[in-house]
Amino acid sequence: MIQLCSNDDPPVSFTVPRKAVELSKTIKTMLEDLEGFDMEQTPIPLPNVDAPTLELIVKWVEQHQDDPPPVEKPRVEDDDSDDSDADDDQEPEVVIPEWDKKFLPTDDEQKNQLFKLLNAANYLEIKPLLDIGCKYVADKISGQTVEWVRDYLNMENDYTPEEEAKLKEEIAWAEGL
Amino acid sequence: MANFETKVGRLQAENDQLRRTLSDLCERVVGRQLTGDLPENFLEQFSQLPDRPLEQVLRFLPARQVAQMRHVSRRFNHLIRKCSKTMPKRERIGSVLFKRKYSGKLTVKWFDDNDSEILKTTLADDVALSELFRFIRIGGRIFFSDGLSAADDVLDQLSKAWLTIRPDLVVFSGDLSKTSRDSLRAFLVKVEPTIRRLLFQNADNIGHSLLSDDVIGAAGRLDGLMVLPNGWYWAKDANDVVSDINIGDDTLLSMAEAGRVSSYFCVVDCSGITPGGIRAFIEKWMKQADTYAVAKSIRCELRCELIFCKCANVTPTTVEEACGDLLRKETEAGTDQNIFGDSIDMEERVRYIAKCPSNRRLEILFHFYPFLCPFISPPGLNDEDSDLD
């Protein structure tokens, strides 16, 4: 068993089966690097994860610890200056399983908890969890107006009117097709 | 006892060091995303998420909405642009046509499969062409039509790494005086995965240095290549060179493996093509196993046409000398119809036909007639604004 500690003061500790915790690529790599140390006696501090989020993470990894490992694809680093042709490498379709639908904090008042969960899944490199969380957010904002999306995501319009006008011209072309 | 205390102290120190190491490791990983003390209201907003989850959310959106999401905020716009290669793109086939009237403005038109115009825009000075196509996957046909539509600045924009351009046909029929080898080559490299037919169709100012085997070779394996400089039809005789096209046997030979039912190599004014190159082509074409297999499996005839018009080293006599044992000669004379349907006297035409055991046919001709050529009419030919200013 492995102990994980939240970033709270005082930290909240969770004990998790090693198999489950290794769904996190970050922790798995860390454990492999520290092979030989008695990790069962050494709590692993997670400075970016608070207790409620860590509780969700633990619940998710315990539920999915027996899942077949996801197929790893090398991550394509996007960069305008990169000449590699990656445009056929589209993201595979992600379907949110029933258990996960109930698990995700999807109520509007839990929105911030969902974003914290995405952040933690990203930090701990739990790709399947990150995928389903991102898919949920994408489904939520799909088909909505720009204003609705800004409101849902608590984002501010930081464009100048001139920038918006230019952008509108570029985008109008794609929308007309 | 002292030894025991020393041992405990050492173990305690190791334990402390391990804790620090673990903490450092965590922070090192986090360092790419978030570092330092976390505020009380940490992650109160979605926008405070690191790039990766944001990118992932955007990738799951429908292609149409991805472009709209650029309006949300500067950060969204930056992210979407940065990741545009892997963002969902709208799939578009049909035809894209570029025109640049001599006033300098570039007009872009999009046509559907039936050549009906879907969209037309004339680029404002501060809108980059590559931005129009950033979230569209372009397939089908690309026409560089009137004026300087294939000038370097246009080709350079279309060669940007983030664009997805997958045409099977590219036609250059404008003025190529402002087109450089480097820009043309970069563009052909960009379209190489899908392009099968490349046409320089009545193009103006094809400079001697513009086309060469290595530039055409950048397009990869082609099934059709046509190079007709504008004015070729009015040339008086074989010595009246309109444009000295610098294409040689290497380009010809590379097309011997064309896998289509119909393939063609039609050139004017190419002094680099030699009868020896034509013989090598015929021998390679006849041995082409893939084509042979295709020919056996289908009922229609696989046809390959080589047309050499006013090519200094390629005449019926030189071809017969070099390849006569592989070819059968035919001649035609009499009257024919021009493109307007009028009867015209036809000078004697010589053609050579390769002897091939399967239902494949290779013809070598020495005359270019518009109604025999694989001309491709650009879409929207009858538009009211098709003429230049």
Side-chain angles (χ1 to χ4, degrees):
Chain A
M1 300 292 270
I2 301 292
Q3 290 180 60
L4 303 176
C5 285
S6 73
N7 67 355
D8 305 86
D9 188 17
V12 180
S13 179
F14 293 84
T15 303
V16 194
R18 179 161 181 152
K19 185 181 180 186
V21 88
E22 284 189 344
L23 288 178
S24 158
K25 208 170 158 187
T26 304
I27 296 176
K28 186 170 188 261
T29 306
M30 190 185 293
L31 292 174
E32 285 167 358
D33 288 348
L34 296 171
E35 200 66 59
F37 290 96
D38 184 5
M39 297 306 295
E40 299 209 355
Q41 302 302 316
T42 311
I44 298 177
L46 301 174
N48 274 334
V49 188
D50 63 17
T53 309
L54 187 53
E55 188 178 359
L56 284 172
I57 293 282
V58 169
K59 197 174 170 188
W60 191 88
V61 294
E62 285 182 342
Q63 172 68 23
H64 290 276
Q65 60 183 311
D66 295 321
D67 288 1
V71 178
E72 289 284 333
K73 275 200 315 181
R75 183 167 151 70
V76 177
E77 295 298 335
D78 283 287
D79 185 342
D80 282 355
S81 61
D82 179 5
D83 280 339
S84 66
D85 241 342
D87 44 40
D88 292 328
D89 191 20
Q90 295 292 306
E91 205 62 35
E93 192 178 350
V94 168
V95 177
I96 306 175
E98 281 304 313
W99 186 90
D100 296 72
K101 278 182 191 165
K102 291 173 189 154
F103 159 81
L104 286 173
T106 53
D107 292 344
D108 278 354
E109 55 270 26
Q110 294 177 299
K111 202 165 57 182
N112 203 45
Q113 183 59 67
L114 176 64
F115 299 156
K116 284 183 183 178
L117 184 64
L118 293 185
N119 189 48
N122 176 58
Y123 157 55
L124 294 170
E125 291 191 68
I126 309 174
K127 189 172 184 308
L129 177 56
L130 182 64
D131 280 349
I132 59 154
C134 291
K135 178 76 166 79
Y136 173 80
V137 176
D139 289 347
K140 185 88 178 169
I141 65 179
S142 178
Q144 302 289 356
T145 64
V146 169
E147 290 72 23
W148 190 96
V149 173
R150 277 195 199 118
D151 184 53
Y152 176 72
L153 302 177
N154 301 325
M155 299 184 96
E156 286 179 13
N157 179 6
D158 52 2
Y159 283 115
T160 64
E162 294 77 23
E163 286 172 329
E164 276 212 286
K166 187 181 170 192
L167 196 58
K168 197 173 176 184
E169 194 166 348
E170 290 174 4
I171 291 170
W173 163 263
E175 286 178 344
L177 286 172
Chain B
M1 186 66 182
N3 279 347
F4 182 70
E5 283 176 353
T6 305
K7 199 171 178 180
V8 169
R10 186 170 54 79
L11 284 171
Q12 188 67 49
E14 277 181 5
N15 193 34
D16 290 345
Q17 189 183 2
L18 176 59
R19 282 176 176 279
R20 283 197 298 275
T21 304
L22 282 169
S23 181
D24 288 344
L25 272 172
C26 288
E27 287 186 0
R28 179 164 56 82
V29 176
V30 177
R32 289 183 299 171
Q33 314 289 355
L34 288 167
T35 56
D37 293 334
L38 301 170
E40 284 294 308
N41 62 343
F42 166 62
L43 210 63
E44 286 300 320
Q45 293 193 14
F46 181 80
S47 59
Q48 290 174 319
L49 279 172
D51 282 358
R52 193 177 167 201
L54 284 180
E55 289 168 23
Q56 197 71 338
V57 167
L58 293 165
R59 285 199 181 99
F60 285 133
L61 287 173
R64 176 187 285 269
Q65 197 169 7
V66 172
Q68 287 176 346
M69 287 298 100
R70 295 173 65 191
H71 273 301
V72 170
S73 71
R74 284 182 179 171
R75 187 176 176 210
F76 258 43
N77 186 30
H78 172 73
L79 258 181
I80 293 169
R81 283 169 51 100
K82 183 169 82 79
C83 306
S84 49
K85 269 196 301 190
T86 51
M87 284 289 162
K89 297 190 179 191
R90 301 199 66 192
E91 186 83 40
R92 274 292 159 193
I93 47 176
S95 305
V96 186
L97 184 139
F98 299 98
K99 295 167 104 172
R100 183 181 258 169
K101 300 184 177 184
Y102 287 97
S103 57
K105 298 273 189 191
L106 185 72
T107 299
V108 188
K109 291 182 177 185
W110 210 301
F111 298 85
D112 65 15
D113 284 343
N114 300 318
D115 282 355
S116 298
E117 186 179 311
I118 303 171
L119 203 61
K120 172 186 170 183
T121 190
T122 299
L123 250 64
D125 291 337
D126 59 344
V127 176
L129 178 62
S130 56
E131 291 303 327
L132 292 189
F133 295 125
R134 192 180 269 270
F135 296 101
I136 303 168
R137 187 184 289 256
I138 304 170
R141 312 186 299 173
I142 294 181
F143 292 84
F144 295 95
S145 188
D146 306 343
L148 296 163
S149 59
D152 279 359
D153 59 329
V154 177
L155 293 185
D156 291 348
Q157 287 284 314
L158 293 174
S159 302
K160 297 283 186 192
W162 64 79
L163 295 191
T164 307
I165 300 182
R166 296 285 180 261
D168 61 18
L169 166 72
V170 176
V171 179
F172 292 90
S173 56
D175 180 352
L176 300 180
S177 62
K178 301 288 184 195
T179 306
S180 70
R181 283 168 56 84
D182 288 347
S183 293
L184 179 58
R185 191 206 316 261
F187 175 75
L188 293 178
V189 167
K190 179 82 182 171
V191 298
E192 182 271 335
T194 52
I195 186 171
R196 288 293 170 264
R197 290 173 295 163
L198 174 62
L199 278 67
F200 296 85
Q201 181 174 288
N202 286 335
D204 282 307
N205 298 312
I206 305 178
H208 174 71
S209 61
L210 179 62
L211 300 185
S212 62
D213 289 335
D214 66 312
V215 169
I216 300 294
R221 199 179 92 171
L222 295 170
D223 294 326
L225 174 68
M226 184 168 81
V227 184
L228 270 78
N230 198 15
W232 64 273
Y233 191 67
W234 311 111
K236 295 184 198 76
D237 53 45
N239 297 322
D240 188 7
V241 173
V242 175
S243 181
D244 185 9
I245 305 297
N246 188 24
I247 292 175
D249 291 338
D250 286 350
T251 299
L252 175 63
L253 274 173
S254 72
M255 295 192 63
E257 293 177 350
R260 290 270 179 100
V261 169
S262 172
S263 59
Y264 52 86
F265 180 89
C266 309
V267 291
V268 171
D269 288 339
C270 283
S271 55
I273 305 287
T274 67
I278 294 172
R279 181 176 183 96
F281 176 92
I282 297 169
E283 289 175 342
K284 193 174 174 184
W285 185 83
M286 292 176 90
K287 288 177 189 165
Q288 228 279 34
D290 289 348
T291 317
Y292 187 75
V294 172
K296 283 177 73 174
S297 66
I298 61 173
R299 290 178 184 275
C300 67
E301 186 178 65
L302 288 180
R303 189 181 177 90
C304 177
E305 203 166 66
L306 308 181
I307 306 179
F308 305 101
C309 183
K310 299 192 325 87
C311 294
N313 296 310
V314 183
T315 64
T317 308
T318 58
V319 168
E320 185 153 356
E321 281 173 7
C323 328
D325 58 320
L326 302 172
L327 301 169
R328 185 179 78 240
K329 184 179 179 180
E330 288 183 358
T331 55
E332 282 182 273
T335 57
D336 207 338
Q337 286 188 326
N338 66 12
I339 50 175
F340 307 108
D342 303 324
S343 290
I344 52 169
D345 288 335
M346 189 176 71
E347 60 184 294
E348 184 181 80
R349 288 184 199 151
V350 176
R351 77 170 74 186
Y352 290 96
I353 299 163
K355 299 165 187 169
C356 197
S358 66
N359 59 336
R360 297 188 303 157
R361 184 179 177 89
L362 170 64
E363 287 192 11
I364 301 175
L365 300 102
F366 304 91
H367 296 82
F368 245 139
Y369 290 94
F371 43 91
L372 289 180
C373 299
F375 257 75
I376 308 242
S377 299
L381 204 56
N382 299 321
D383 286 0
E384 57 186 16
D385 62 348
S386 63
D387 294 326
L388 295 179
D389 281 339

